[in-house]
Amino acid sequence: MLRASYSSTVREFLQLSDEEILGKLTRSFSLGFGWDIKLEQLSAWVEQIKILKAELLKHSDGKIFFEAAIPRFGKQADNILYILGVVFIFEFKVGQNEYPKSAINQVMDYALDIKYFHKSSHNIPIIPVLVCTKANTISNGLEIHSDKVYNVLKSNGSDIASIISSILKQTNNLNDVENWEKGEYHPTPTIIEAANSLFNNQNVNEISRSDAEAENLSVTTETVLDLIQQAKAQKEKHICFITGVPGSGKTLAGLKIVHDARVKDTDDAAVFLSGNGPLVKVLREALRINALENNRGTRADVKVSVESFIQNIHHFRDNERDSKKPPVEKIVVFDEAQRAWNREKTSSFMSKKRGVANFNRSEPDFLMSILDRHNDWAFVICLVGGGQEIHDGEAGIQEWFNSIEKNYAHWHISASERIIEGDYLKINDLEDIKRKTRFSCNDALHLKTSLRSFRSENVSKLINSIISNEIESVRSLYESVKERYKITITRDLNVAKNWLRLNARGNERYGIIASSGGLRLRKYGLHVKNDIDPVDWFLKNRDDVRSSFALEEVATEFDIQGLELDWACIAWDADLRYTSDSWGCMRFRGSSWQNVKSEIQRRYLLNTYRVLLTRARQGMVIFIPEGDLNDLTALPSYYNGTFEMLSEVGFEVLR
C-alpha cells in the first residue's frame, strides 16, 4: 500500500487548522525517517498547506497525501491527490521562479512509478503537476499518453483548482478512494536502485516486487540462506548454482544474500565478486554518488565502504594467488559464473599479465581451491546466466562441475534441474554429475520470472525463440507481449533515435547498443570499436554528451551485460544475418566478411545478440541498415533477410 507521513480526506484537511496539519505531518515524518526537520522543509510545508487549502475548496471529494513514499527512488512525492478516479501528483518548488527540466523529470518519474507499480493505478489517469510558486502562470496543453499518464502540467499554485477542473471534465470515473489506497504496490527496481537500497541498509524487499509472479526471488534467497546455516552447523563445504532467465534478478539475489543480517551480522565474512568490469565500475560509482548525496560519510570512508560492497573477482584471485592460508571470507558469491575463464585463458593471462609461469588451472578450479583451504566449512554461490557466454576463454558452467568432480568431490552441490535448460548443461552431463558428486536438486534455485521487463514476463522467452530460430513460437509470444512491451524495427537510424526520445519520459534512460563484431555499422556513424566509459554512459544526465542519452557512443555486449536501459536501440549488423531460414554467423576480417565455422564461436555470437536483445526494461527499436549495392561489405542482401523475418513475425515497422 502507499505510505504517507500525513493523509486525510480533503474535507478533513480543509477543516483542520494549518497548525494541526503541520504538527501531525512533522511528528509522523520525524518518526518515520528519524531525520531532523530543517526550517526550510517546515517553511515549504506551510506554503503547501496554504496553497492546497485555497485551491481545494471546490474539490473536496477526494483524499490528500503529504510526503508519499516512492521507495524505488528513496524519495517522497510532496503530495498525491486522489479525486473522482484520477490521481494528481504534485511536486512543489517553493520560491522557484521558473520550471526546471530536472523538476519536470522528477515529477514524471513519480507518476510513472505510481502508474506501473501501484496496482490500483494501472488503468486510471495520472496527472503529474510541477508547482513553482514564483513562476508565471502558463497555459497548459492537456497531452495524454496511451497509458493514461499526462505530460507534466506547470503551475505556480494559483491555478491548481482550474487544472483539476479541466482534467475532471475529460474523465468519468467512480470515486473509489478506499480501494485505490489499498492497492498493492510492487515496484521493480533497477540493479542500481536495488544496490543503493542495500548499501544504505534498507530492506530491499520494500522496493522489489513481492507479488506472486516475482516471489521466486524471495524463495530463492531464503533457500540459499537456509543452506548456508546448514553448511555451517554441519561443518560442510557447499556450492550452489542460481540459474535464471535474463533479467530475473540473479545479481540482486547475490547482493541480498551477502548483505542479509543472518550473514552480515556474524563473524563469517561474505563477499560479492564479479568479473564484469563495467558492472563493478557503474555500481561503485552510483553507490558513491548516492552515499555522498545522503551524507553517509567522508569521501575516504565512502570509497572504502563502496569498494568492499562489491569487488572484482580478478583482484580477489590475484590477492589469494600466493597465499596458502584460508581467505577471510567463508561465503563467496561469484556473479556471472558461466563467464569464468577456462584453463588456457587463465594460464595465458597469468603468464603474460602477472608473470606467473606454469599456472595450469582454470579460474573455477583455482577459485574453488581458495575456499577449500578452510578446515571446517565454506559456501560458494554461483550466479549463472544461460546462453550468456560471449567471449573467447569463457568456460561456461561445465568447467565448475569438471573441477568439482576432479578435485572437490567432498563438496556438496545444490542446483535446480532447470540447469539443463538455457545452454547451461546437457541432460547427459547432469546425469553424469549426479552419479559422480554429492548433488542435490532444488527447484527454488532457478529464477523463472524476468523482473527487468516488468511490462511483460514473456520477453526473455521471445528473445530465446528468435535466437533459437523458432519462428512460430516468436509469433505467438509476440502476441502476448506487444500490448505491454514495445518492439519496433526500422531501416533508418534517425527514425530509431527519434523513437527513443519520444518514448522515454522523466529520467528513463535510453541508448544505442550493438555487437562488438558489428564493424560495418561504422558506415552509419556507429563505432563499436571505440571504448566507452561505462560510468559516464550509464550515469551521466541528458546534458552530457558522454551519456547514453546523447546517442553518439555505442555500448557493446561487454559494456551492457548485467546492466540495463529503459529503452534501447539495438543496431543489428551483418555479423548475424538471417538467410535461407537460418542464422548465418560472420566475422569481419580486413575488408570482407568470413563464415564463422567454430561451433563455440557461433554460440558466442548468438549469445551476444541474446544479451543485446534482453537489456531493455520497457521496449526497444531494432535498427537494421538498408545496405548499399555499391559497397561489397554492406550489401542489402546481408540485411534484408533479418529485416523480413522480424517484420513477418509482427514487429511494427517504423519508416
Side-chain angles (χ1 to χ4, degrees), residues 43-180:
S43 299
W45 284 338
V46 168
E47 189 72 7
Q48 288 173 40
I49 293 167
K50 183 177 75 172
I51 290 173
L52 289 171
K53 275 197 166 187
E55 295 296 309
L56 295 180
L57 285 171
K58 295 181 180 179
H59 297 290
S60 59
D61 293 328
K63 190 161 186 177
I64 187 81
F65 303 81
F66 276 72
E67 299 296 331
I70 310 289
R72 262 186 70 214
F73 302 113
K75 296 182 179 179
Q76 301 79 42
D78 286 339
N79 305 101
I80 294 179
L81 171 69
Y82 177 94
I83 183 168
L84 298 174
V86 179
V87 174
F88 293 86
I89 301 173
F90 296 103
E91 181 61 28
F92 276 82
K93 301 299 178 185
V94 174
Q96 178 65 258
N97 59 9
E98 56 185 17
Y99 300 99
K101 182 65 175 176
S102 60
I104 292 171
N105 289 337
Q106 179 186 1
V107 68
M108 177 57 85
D109 285 344
Y110 295 166
L112 295 172
D113 188 89
I114 295 295
K115 164 58 68 173
Y116 289 113
F117 304 127
H118 182 236
K119 192 171 184 178
S120 302
S121 298
H122 287 345
N123 299 310
I124 64 177
I126 309 289
I127 295 84
V129 183
L130 175 60
V131 184
C132 297
T133 60
K134 297 296 184 182
N136 293 327
T137 302
I138 67 171
S139 176
N140 285 294
L142 301 181
E143 299 177 31
I144 185 171
H145 294 265
S146 59
D147 57 5
K148 298 185 180 179
V149 176
Y150 281 70
N151 278 348
V152 175
L153 303 180
K154 302 167 186 175
S155 168
N156 60 11
S158 65
D159 55 353
I160 289 176
S162 63
I163 286 174
I164 295 172
S165 295
S166 63
I167 294 293
L168 294 181
K169 285 178 183 177
Q170 296 188 348
T171 60
N172 185 26
N173 296 299
L174 298 175
N175 195 22
D176 194 4
V177 66
E178 185 176 342
N179 283 332
W180 176 81

Side-chain angles (χ1 to χ4, degrees), residues 21 23 89 120 138 179 195 314 317 327-328 334 361 388 412 483 545 556 562 630 646:
I21 296 168
I89 301 173
S120 302
I138 67 171
N179 283 332
H314 304 309
R317 177 200 63 206
V328 172
F334 294 121
R361 309 177 80 165
Q388 301 281 297
H412 294 262
E483 294 302 318
V545 296
T556 70
N630 297 313
L646 295 178

Side-chain angles (χ1 to χ4, degrees), residues 246-259:
S248 58
K250 296 180 290 292
T251 300
L252 176 55
L255 289 170
K256 284 181 68 175
I257 289 163
V258 298
H259 288 86

Side-chain angles (χ1 to χ4, degrees), residues 465-478:
S465 294
I466 292 173
I467 298 302
S468 302
N469 193 26
E470 299 167 354
I471 302 305
E472 287 307 313
S473 178
V474 175
R475 289 193 180 97
S476 61
L477 285 166
Y478 182 59

